[in-house]
Amino acid sequence: MEVQLEQFKQLQNGNIASAKGFQAGGLHCGLRKKKLDLGWVYSEIPAEAAGVYTMNAFQAAPLKVTQESMAKENKLQALIVNSAIANACTGEQGLQDAYDMRQQFAETIGVEEHLAAVASTGVIGELLPMDKLQKGISQIPEDQFVGANKFETAILTTDTKEKGIAIELEIDGQTVTIGGAAKGSGMIHPNMATMLSFITTDASIPASHLSDALKSITNKSFNMITVDGDTSTNDMVLVLANGMAENQALTPEHAEWSHFYEGLKFVCEYLAKEIARDGEGATRLVEVQVDGAWTDQGATAIAKSVVSSNLVKTAIHGADANWGRIITAVGYSGEPLDPNKVSVYLGETLVVEKGVPHPFDEDVAKQHLLEDEVTLFVKLGDGEGKATAWGCDLSYEYVRINASYRT
Amino acid sequence: MEVQLEQFKQLQNGNIASAKGFQAGGLHCGLRKKKLDLGWVYSEIPAEAAGVYTMNAFQAAPLKVTQESMAKENKLQALIVNSAIANACTGEQGLQDAYDMRQQFAETIGVEEHLAAVASTGVIGELLPMDKLQKGISQIPEDQFVGANKFETAILTTDTKEKGIAIELEIDGQTVTIGGAAKGSGMIHPNMATMLSFITTDASIPASHLSDALKSITNKSFNMITVDGDTSTNDMVLVLANGMAENQALTPEHAEWSHFYEGLKFVCEYLAKEIARDGEGATRLVEVQVDGAWTDQGATAIAKSVVSSNLVKTAIHGADANWGRIITAVGYSGEPLDPNKVSVYLGETLVVEKGVPHPFDEDVAKQHLLEDEVTLFVKLGDGEGKATAWGCDLSYEYVRINASYRT
């Protein structure tokens, strides 16, 4: 959490359409009973684009079509997203449906087909009801300016709240805005990509550098959250940069490159944490900070091991300072470490010092575990490696939601 | 499940003391409020011994002491186990306590110290109350013949039932008996070792071959179960073979080696499945059979990925034929596979054929998911690799148990 918010100005009600030249909207087309289920984002001009995609072998059809769009010139001008049905494991028909969805959307809003991206989220293995979807797409123009809040709503599934943000920063004396929206609540354990997250900026930045920045940042943000250890078939993050802020094109040589990088990272980290906080059945956000590992990679594995542990997650749900479970999860991470150097803190309370229990005030520890944001620190004392991961507690509600998701 | 039970005779009320020359017992020494909390196993003569131990970096003190015992001549004559407190993460004092526990136990029952093993299971990070433990050990002689059922009870923690078995088979015309007991309900995701499991046999078999067989079998039994993905600090399996059946010493060259191997495997698999079935909060046993992977190792990773998925586990709890979650877990296993060749069965119901949904009768599928033993088949169609893993559903009860384990 080295990001200083003072570097950026977070916009009140900032969203995915805050950056210059972007619009977004959403409507109901009947995939879900009543809730909005179709959303889109549009840029006045083609934007440099970058994406990361799920590592799941069963990559859903829309991800294939979107990657095909991007392959042409790494540009996007618009994207469309439906919720309720993931269009995953749907074979040839599903792929054709994703192509049709892209084509009709591109035609309707008047952009070239390869400048349009498609995304889906929801139940796996069901075909999209194309008649409803097509009817919905045909209604886009008249609704186009309804606002980003409808987009944020339309992409949700079991999420309990919208997730959006925008920040402003200055590059070359120009105001650059970075905005974003995300969805994700279950099947969250991204690997090289994540749930659905869309980011827009009016910064000028070539696609290749945007892609490098996105990959690097994804590994520290979206790839560091977990709700249930399951990596979805539909995870995707897309970033569109339309250059309308008129700064000098950003490259790593640009004097303010790191300022932009940190801004993009802040937005990704914010959205990632919002997803973890809104994990299915979650009552609080859990942050695990690891330092002193031999490598950053080792610290990452350990932080993820702790934040993924069902036993740690249930203990936090019960506000039980059962640090033995934290130590256990550190120990089975598979990373080399000296058990006699490991210290653990629950918030500011030291509970394990160099491998042995440290006496502590149970009430103070419990108080921290009852807060909205719980932080666990694991200090290994071996090297300089560090990492932070985010997750949530595991509740009865998680079981209720998932024992009857389809029915 | 190629093991034919007809090859072996399963003894009614068979247990860890069924093999010739073994005795076992248990008593209450005050580590737990009322339940038995101290158990032991004794062989009339020193037995060849083999063990496998947790891969968790925070290996508990008793495991270190037991491995030291074994290091001397790979023989054991007795073992003692306490429940309630794991004696893990207890530093120098914990190690000394484990040594003292071994010493007093060995002296009390009259065996050499290096022929005694110690094990503990329960809460991590608390020291053993040595006064209570020592008082308990001092009472062993008079209770020594109380029976194996008390041993089975004394080693339990959150388990809901005892886990014991014994089978008979014939080797060299002699009756050989293999018996065992196990405990484990939470923090179950063994890796190279598991919870606590003790196996006794009167077979004659050198320790080196016993060890090879145990390691190979552990990878197909105890290492193939998961309750919650957490690998404990105290996992251990010990096998004692005292040779009192008077068969020719078993080596891989022995004509009936594979008969013994299959018998030992049957006992290990039985105990492993009993642990999975009795997983914390579990209402049913889940078996995942994978075939057609490129390698057995790949099949193992995929089977474990499916059986470990919280989303698969909650869907089974809700008897929801949500096969998309199975496909997803197959896909994020990290193993190479062709999604277009994958078929999935819920029991006998085909739900995915070569990567696309297969129409099926929801009621029939649901009926299978409501059974005590649920079997999922994943057929990859790539190669000859196969594996079977066991786990359980994820219920409200799991959360309840683990949100308040210590309190």
Side-chain angles (χ1 to χ4, degrees):
Chain A
M1 297 296 293
E2 277 104 6
V3 174
Q4 299 295 316
L5 189 50
E6 296 75 46
Q7 292 183 276
F8 321 112
K9 182 177 158 198
Q10 186 169 343
L11 301 178
Q12 226 176 347
N13 305 319
N15 57 49
I16 195 163
S18 294
K20 275 196 202 90
F22 286 97
Q23 294 161 9
L27 57 73
H28 174 256
C29 74
L31 303 183
R32 306 180 72 178
K33 274 182 198 152
K34 286 185 176 172
K35 291 181 185 167
L36 303 190
D37 48 23
L38 190 65
W40 59 90
V41 175
Y42 171 79
S43 169
E44 289 175 21
I45 57 173
E48 299 288 302
V52 284
Y53 309 91
T54 187
M55 295 297 283
N56 195 304
F58 292 87
Q59 206 173 64
L63 278 75
K64 291 174 188 160
V65 173
T66 292
Q67 285 172 86
E68 217 177 277
S69 282
M70 299 274 290
K72 191 132 178 197
E73 49 174 341
N74 290 317
K75 288 190 177 179
L76 288 177
Q77 192 169 358
L79 59 91
I80 184 163
V81 190
N82 74 274
S83 56
I85 289 171
N87 194 10
C89 279
T90 44
E92 283 304 311
Q93 184 61 50
L95 194 60
Q96 190 54 53
D97 290 347
Y99 279 123
D100 290 350
M101 181 173 169
R102 180 179 69 167
Q103 186 193 9
Q104 196 200 342
F105 173 59
E107 276 174 14
T108 303
I109 61 168
V111 306
E112 287 185 77
E113 208 172 325
H114 76 273
L115 293 176
V118 289
S120 299
T121 178
V123 174
I124 293 169
E126 290 183 17
L127 291 170
L128 289 168
M130 290 303 288
D131 52 338
K132 290 179 181 172
L133 193 71
Q134 285 167 344
K135 198 174 159 208
I137 293 173
S138 72
Q139 292 166 352
I140 289 181
E142 49 187 310
D143 291 323
Q144 192 167 346
F145 305 97
V146 293
N149 56 333
K150 289 199 178 172
F151 175 80
E152 288 174 5
T153 306
I155 64 177
L156 305 183
T157 53
T158 52
D159 306 59
T160 66
K161 56 184 176 185
E162 288 75 16
K163 300 164 185 71
I165 183 179
I167 62 168
E168 277 181 9
L169 58 163
E170 220 169 81
I171 306 272
D172 296 329
Q174 306 289 339
T175 298
V176 164
T177 303
I178 306 175
K183 67 82 46 179
S185 190
M187 212 174 263
I188 294 289
H189 187 76
N191 183 7
M192 278 314 284
T194 181
M195 55 294 127
L196 294 179
S197 185
F198 307 102
I199 295 158
T200 55
T201 177
D202 43 23
S204 169
I205 174 171
S208 61
H209 296 301
L210 187 61
S211 178
D212 288 348
L214 176 63
K215 281 175 189 160
S216 158
I217 288 168
T218 296
N219 281 332
K220 295 173 190 161
S221 55
F222 297 114
N223 284 357
M224 290 307 287
I225 62 172
T226 189
V227 168
D228 47 21
D230 287 81
T231 304
S232 144
T233 50
N234 289 52
D235 295 346
M236 170 160 57
V237 182
L238 293 178
V239 186
L240 278 67
N242 68 10
M244 289 176 74
E246 299 191 337
N247 57 293
Q248 300 276 326
L250 284 156
T251 70
E253 286 70 45
H254 190 294
E256 289 167 298
W257 168 259
S258 70
H259 191 42
F260 173 79
Y261 180 94
E262 290 299 329
L264 185 59
K265 182 163 170 246
F266 180 82
V267 169
C268 289
E269 201 172 284
Y270 175 88
L271 291 172
K273 286 167 70 175
E274 283 300 291
I275 290 169
R277 191 192 308 274
D278 194 24
E280 288 177 340
T283 66
R284 57 203 75 146
L285 177 71
V286 180
E287 176 170 300
V288 178
Q289 292 189 25
V290 174
D291 67 29
W294 288 113
T295 61
D296 284 353
Q297 206 178 3
T300 298
I302 290 165
K304 282 186 166 183
S305 183
V306 173
V307 87
S308 303
S309 161
N310 276 358
L311 290 170
V312 171
K313 288 154 65 83
T314 46
I316 291 172
H317 184 65
D320 178 8
N322 193 338
W323 56 263
R325 296 177 179 178
I326 299 169
I327 282 288
T328 298
V330 170
Y332 65 67
S333 67
E335 293 300 317
L337 59 91
D338 181 348
N340 299 316
K341 287 186 183 164
V342 178
S343 296
V344 176
Y345 292 77
L346 307 181
E348 294 181 353
T349 306
L350 177 64
V351 293
V352 177
E353 188 172 25
K354 297 189 175 165
V356 293
H358 183 87
F360 64 97
D361 185 330
E362 288 267 354
D363 287 341
V364 172
K366 192 177 186 73
Q367 212 47 51
H368 178 66
L369 295 178
L370 285 169
E371 286 174 17
D372 287 345
E373 298 197 8
V374 171
T375 307
L376 312 178
F377 297 91
V378 177
K379 296 180 174 296
L380 297 164
D382 290 323
E384 301 294 320
K386 59 183 179 174
T388 302
W390 297 275
C392 56
D393 56 334
L394 174 57
S395 68
Y396 300 92
E397 189 62 7
Y398 176 84
V399 178
R400 193 194 61 74
I401 292 168
N402 285 301
S404 59
Y405 178 55
R406 295 190 322 154
T407 48
Chain B
M1 298 296 292
E2 276 105 4
V3 174
Q4 300 295 316
L5 188 49
E6 296 76 43
Q7 292 184 276
F8 322 113
K9 183 178 157 197
Q10 187 168 346
L11 301 177
Q12 227 175 345
N13 304 320
N15 58 50
I16 196 164
S18 294
K20 275 196 201 89
F22 286 97
Q23 293 162 9
L27 56 74
H28 175 256
C29 75
L31 303 182
R32 306 180 73 179
K33 274 181 197 152
K34 286 186 178 172
K35 292 182 185 166
L36 303 191
D37 49 20
L38 191 65
W40 59 91
V41 175
Y42 172 79
S43 169
E44 288 174 21
I45 58 173
E48 299 288 302
V52 284
Y53 310 90
T54 187
M55 295 298 283
N56 195 304
F58 293 87
Q59 205 173 64
L63 278 75
K64 291 173 188 159
V65 172
T66 291
Q67 285 172 87
E68 219 176 277
S69 281
M70 298 274 290
K72 192 134 179 198
E73 48 173 343
N74 290 317
K75 288 190 178 180
L76 288 176
Q77 191 170 358
L79 58 92
I80 185 164
V81 190
N82 74 273
S83 55
I85 290 172
N87 193 10
C89 279
T90 44
E92 283 305 311
Q93 184 60 49
L95 193 60
Q96 191 54 53
D97 290 346
Y99 279 123
D100 290 350
M101 181 173 169
R102 180 179 67 166
Q103 185 192 11
Q104 197 199 341
F105 173 59
E107 276 175 14
T108 302
I109 61 167
V111 305
E112 287 185 76
E113 208 171 325
H114 75 274
L115 293 177
V118 289
S120 299
T121 178
V123 173
I124 293 169
E126 290 183 18
L127 290 170
L128 289 167
M130 290 304 287
D131 51 339
K132 289 179 183 173
L133 193 71
Q134 284 166 346
K135 198 173 158 210
I137 292 172
S138 71
Q139 291 166 354
I140 288 181
E142 47 186 312
D143 290 323
Q144 191 167 344
F145 306 98
V146 295
N149 57 331
K150 289 199 178 172
F151 175 80
E152 288 174 6
T153 306
I155 65 176
L156 305 182
T157 54
T158 53
D159 306 58
T160 66
K161 55 184 176 184
E162 287 76 16
K163 300 165 185 70
I165 184 178
I167 61 168
E168 276 181 9
L169 57 162
E170 221 169 80
I171 306 271
D172 296 330
Q174 305 290 340
T175 298
V176 164
T177 303
I178 307 175
K183 68 81 48 177
S185 190
M187 213 175 262
I188 294 289
H189 187 76
N191 184 6
M192 278 314 284
T194 180
M195 57 291 129
L196 294 180
S197 185
F198 307 103
I199 294 158
T200 55
T201 177
D202 43 23
S204 169
I205 174 172
S208 61
H209 296 300
L210 187 62
S211 179
D212 289 347
L214 176 63
K215 281 176 189 159
S216 158
I217 289 169
T218 295
N219 281 333
K220 295 174 191 161
S221 55
F222 296 114
N223 283 357
M224 291 306 287
I225 62 172
T226 189
V227 168
D228 47 21
D230 288 82
T231 303
S232 143
T233 50
N234 288 52
D235 295 346
M236 167 160 57
V237 182
L238 294 178
V239 186
L240 279 67
N242 68 8
M244 289 177 74
E246 300 192 333
N247 56 292
Q248 300 277 326
L250 284 157
T251 71
E253 286 70 43
H254 190 294
E256 289 168 298
W257 168 259
S258 71
H259 191 43
F260 173 78
Y261 180 93
E262 290 299 329
L264 184 59
K265 181 164 170 243
F266 180 82
V267 169
C268 289
E269 200 172 284
Y270 175 89
L271 292 172
K273 286 167 70 176
E274 284 300 291
I275 289 168
R277 192 193 307 274
D278 194 24
E280 286 177 342
T283 66
R284 56 203 78 147
L285 177 71
V286 180
E287 176 170 301
V288 178
Q289 291 190 24
V290 174
D291 67 29
W294 289 113
T295 61
D296 284 353
Q297 206 178 3
T300 297
I302 291 165
K304 282 185 165 183
S305 182
V306 173
V307 87
S308 303
S309 160
N310 277 357
L311 289 171
V312 171
K313 288 152 64 84
T314 46
I316 291 172
H317 184 65
D320 178 6
N322 194 336
W323 56 263
R325 295 177 179 177
I326 298 169
I327 281 288
T328 298
V330 170
Y332 65 66
S333 67
E335 293 300 318
L337 58 91
D338 180 349
N340 299 317
K341 286 188 184 163
V342 178
S343 297
V344 176
Y345 292 78
L346 308 180
E348 294 182 353
T349 305
L350 176 64
V351 294
V352 178
E353 188 173 24
K354 296 187 175 169
V356 293
H358 182 86
F360 65 97
D361 184 330
E362 289 267 355
D363 288 340
V364 172
K366 192 178 187 72
Q367 212 46 49
H368 179 65
L369 296 178
L370 286 168
E371 286 173 16
D372 287 345
E373 298 198 6
V374 171
T375 308
L376 311 178
F377 297 90
V378 177
K379 296 180 173 296
L380 297 165
D382 290 324
E384 300 295 318
K386 59 183 180 174
T388 302
W390 297 275
C392 56
D393 56 332
L394 174 57
S395 68
Y396 301 92
E397 189 62 9
Y398 176 85
V399 178
R400 193 194 61 75
I401 293 168
N402 284 301
S404 59
Y405 179 56
R406 295 188 324 153
T407 48

